[in-house]
Amino acid sequence: MLATIATASAQAPYPNRNITLVLPFAAGSGTDTTTRLIGKELGVALGVSMVIDNKAGANGSIAASYVARSAPDGYTLFVTTNTTHSANPYLLKNMSYDPVKDFTPIARTGDLPFMLVIHPDIPANSVAELIALAKKEPGKYSYASGSSSAIVSGATFARLAGIDLLHVPYKSSPPALTDVIAGRVSMMFIDVPTGLPHVNAKALKALAVTTKKPSALLPHLPTMDATVKGFDITSWQGYLGPANMPKDIVTRLNTEIRKIIERPDIKNQLAERGMEAFSGPPEEFDAFLKEQLVLWEKLIADAGIEKQ
């Protein structure tokens, strides 16, 4: 059946109807914010409407499984991150999809740097001061998570800094952030697009970025590695489709996405939303995905996180 659909798709002009972009996170997340900008431009380039379908939950597995089971005709695409395609295989005992075999890489769209934010009432203005507080009162402080990057970042921070932090997991980042702002949870590692508006509004304090090198988007923030040696975690973003998509459709989508990403106005708008935008060919993205599986296996093993 899938072969018949793929053949028919290759013969018909593509695209000739709306395309659905499935996201593994809720509306208001960093992936949602940046996808709406890129998706709008992609719809204009292809001459069709782009429908955003947020399928949050189960660490992105609900969305990933849905796309994996969809027809490979180019009308259901997955805009995702390392949560579903780098970390989940080492975080979840039961996987309902294969991150390599069940998908067709289309285009990487960039990186979404994460930063450590805390509630403003916590008397710490640096990572070193936060560590000192946590060591003084073990078990008092907690960290929220709404993605694999947040889970692994929190566990890595606790291990490398030698502190006891309570992990409070959430379905996605926006509700987790709401509880940090309300003071119900002490801190969170959050993607810049989602967290920065609250930092600017003084509802949160940002202490550091998770990348080993300083972020060009937040040059004033120190790196976690400056205090916690060995800390280096980056979240990537990209477009995939179900396995066995026709090559001509993949090429068309990749070409249009890269044109959009390379536009200076789009780069600037994405930077304002906290995303470092860049792209490349599908083959490059495919190789990157396989490399990231190896990297995240080590990150998760080193952090001492057991599969759930």
Side-chain angles (χ1 to χ4, degrees):
M1 182 184 71
L2 292 180
T4 301
I5 292 172
T7 302
S9 177
Q11 293 172 346
Y14 175 85
N16 54 31
R17 55 187 171 88
N18 295 347
I19 295 173
T20 299
L21 301 180
V22 179
L23 276 62
F25 307 119
S29 63
T31 300
D32 177 80
T33 302
T34 54
T35 298
R36 289 181 187 276
L37 173 59
I38 299 171
K40 179 182 177 181
E41 298 300 323
L42 183 58
V44 172
L46 296 174
V48 296
S49 295
M50 310 299 284
V51 180
I52 305 294
D53 186 4
N54 299 93
K55 292 187 180 298
N59 229 32
S61 293
I62 295 173
S65 297
Y66 177 84
V67 175
R69 295 193 301 267
S70 298
D73 55 9
Y75 290 99
T76 303
L77 306 178
F78 195 28
V79 187
T80 192
T81 70
N82 44 281
T83 285
T84 62
H85 275 66
S86 303
N88 274 358
Y90 312 109
L91 291 175
L92 305 179
K93 288 181 179 179
N94 299 311
M95 284 280 288
S96 55
Y97 64 94
D98 187 301
V100 175
K101 295 179 182 178
D102 291 343
F103 296 88
T104 300
I106 297 171
R108 187 178 172 194
T109 50
D111 287 342
L112 288 168
F114 271 56
M115 59 182 174
L116 172 60
V117 296
I118 64 174
H119 189 270
D121 288 347
I122 296 176
N125 293 303
S126 68
V127 175
E129 290 179 4
L130 180 61
I131 292 172
L133 287 174
K135 286 185 174 180
K136 186 177 180 181
E137 299 182 86
K140 177 181 178 180
Y141 296 98
S142 56
Y143 71 94
S145 71
S147 69
S148 291
S149 292
I151 293 170
V152 177
S153 292
T156 299
F157 177 39
R159 183 184 67 83
L160 293 179
I163 55 179
D164 180 14
L165 298 176
L166 173 65
H167 178 209
V168 185
Y170 290 80
K171 187 176 181 180
S172 102
S173 295
L177 200 61
T178 296
D179 276 3
V180 178
I181 292 170
R184 289 185 281 270
V185 186
S186 310
M187 69 192 78
M188 181 178 183
F189 287 90
I190 184 71
D191 57 271
V192 173
T194 306
L196 191 57
H198 303 288
V199 172
N200 292 337
K202 309 298 182 185
L204 294 169
K205 282 194 290 188
L207 299 186
V209 292
T210 61
T211 50
K212 191 167 186 177
K213 295 181 179 179
S215 171
L217 303 176
L218 300 167
H220 62 288
L221 273 185
T223 65
M224 288 291 296
D225 182 70
T227 304
V228 184
K229 294 301 179 183
F231 198 108
D232 182 16
I233 296 176
T234 302
S235 177
W236 55 263
Q237 187 182 100
Y239 281 62
L240 300 100
N244 304 312
M245 280 181 62
K247 187 174 181 180
D248 60 329
I249 292 180
V250 174
T251 300
R252 175 80 189 282
L253 289 168
N254 178 271
T255 299
E256 298 300 343
I257 291 170
R258 290 173 68 181
K259 285 180 183 177
I260 293 166
I261 292 297
E262 290 164 7
R263 281 169 45 186
D265 62 321
I266 297 299
K267 275 187 180 292
N268 289 336
Q269 290 181 61
L270 289 170
E272 290 171 359
R273 290 162 172 78
M275 179 175 174
E276 297 176 359
F278 53 86
S279 193
E283 297 78 12
E284 182 179 285
F285 188 29
D286 183 38
F288 173 79
L289 288 170
K290 292 168 183 172
E291 291 169 0
Q292 286 292 297
L293 279 168
V294 176
L295 173 63
W296 279 81
E297 180 180 20
K298 185 177 187 305
L299 280 172
I300 291 167
D302 288 349
I305 303 173
E306 295 185 0
K307 285 187 176 183
Q308 300 296 316

